[in-house]
């Protein structure tokens, strides 16, 4: 046999092995582990979150509501990780 024929036979054998391996892999069934239900964790109600929802539903009127202004200040402090000291009456006057 010459080199050209030998290369063709080698290529045919290689392709046939690749096709056979692909067919075997495609027909194999994977065993999936039994699905366990994930426990549902219920979060404790957050009064700040409920206040935020109430202020959101108020729309523009919330900008004039003292409770919403307090809730937004508390939310801002929680987000920034700061604690502000309570303001004293007549401070700086």
């Amino acid at each position: 046999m010459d080199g050209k024929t030998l290369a063709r036979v080698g290529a045919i054998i290689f392709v046939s092995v690749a096709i056979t391996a692909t067919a075997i892999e495609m027909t194999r069934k994977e065993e999936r582990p039994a699905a366990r239900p994930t426990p549902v964790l219920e979060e404790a109600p957050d009064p700040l979150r409920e206040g935020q929802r109430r202020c959101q539903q108020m729309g523009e009127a919330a900008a004039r509501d003292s409770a919403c202004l307090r809730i937004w200040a508390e939310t801002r402090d929680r987000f920034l990780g700061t604690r502000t000291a309570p303001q004293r009456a007549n401070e700086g006057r």
Side-chain angles (χ1 to χ4, degrees), residues 16-63:
S16 62
V17 168
I19 290 173
T20 304
T22 302
I24 290 172
E25 186 64 30
M26 289 178 66
T27 58
R28 185 185 344 173
K29 295 181 182 178
E30 291 185 27
E31 293 181 21
R32 295 185 179 147
R36 291 182 289 169
T38 305
V40 178
L41 301 176
E42 293 184 21
E43 295 182 19
D46 185 7
L48 181 63
R49 182 95 168 156
E50 292 170 6
Q52 290 169 339
R53 292 280 185 221
R54 184 183 64 79
C55 293
Q56 180 184 25
Q57 292 169 351
M58 289 176 66
E60 287 185 33

Side-chain angles (χ1 to χ4, degrees), residues 2-93:
D2 61 339
K4 200 179 217 182
T5 307
L6 189 59
R8 286 181 182 166
V9 170
I12 291 171
I13 292 173
F14 176 77
V15 170
S16 62
V17 168
I19 290 173
T20 304
T22 302
I24 290 172
E25 186 64 30
M26 289 178 66
T27 58
R28 185 185 344 173
K29 295 181 182 178
E30 291 185 27
E31 293 181 21
R32 295 185 179 147
R36 291 182 289 169
T38 305
V40 178
L41 301 176
E42 293 184 21
E43 295 182 19
D46 185 7
L48 181 63
R49 182 95 168 156
E50 292 170 6
Q52 290 169 339
R53 292 280 185 221
R54 184 183 64 79
C55 293
Q56 180 184 25
Q57 292 169 351
M58 289 176 66
E60 287 185 33
R64 295 179 298 280
D65 185 48
S66 62
C68 288
L69 294 174
R70 181 185 50 78
I71 288 171
W72 290 335
E74 189 176 338
T75 301
R76 192 172 42 251
D77 290 343
R78 185 185 284 188
F79 177 77
L80 296 175
T82 59
R83 293 283 176 210
T84 57
Q87 294 180 357
R88 295 183 194 123
N90 298 328
E91 186 176 298
R93 289 188 188 179

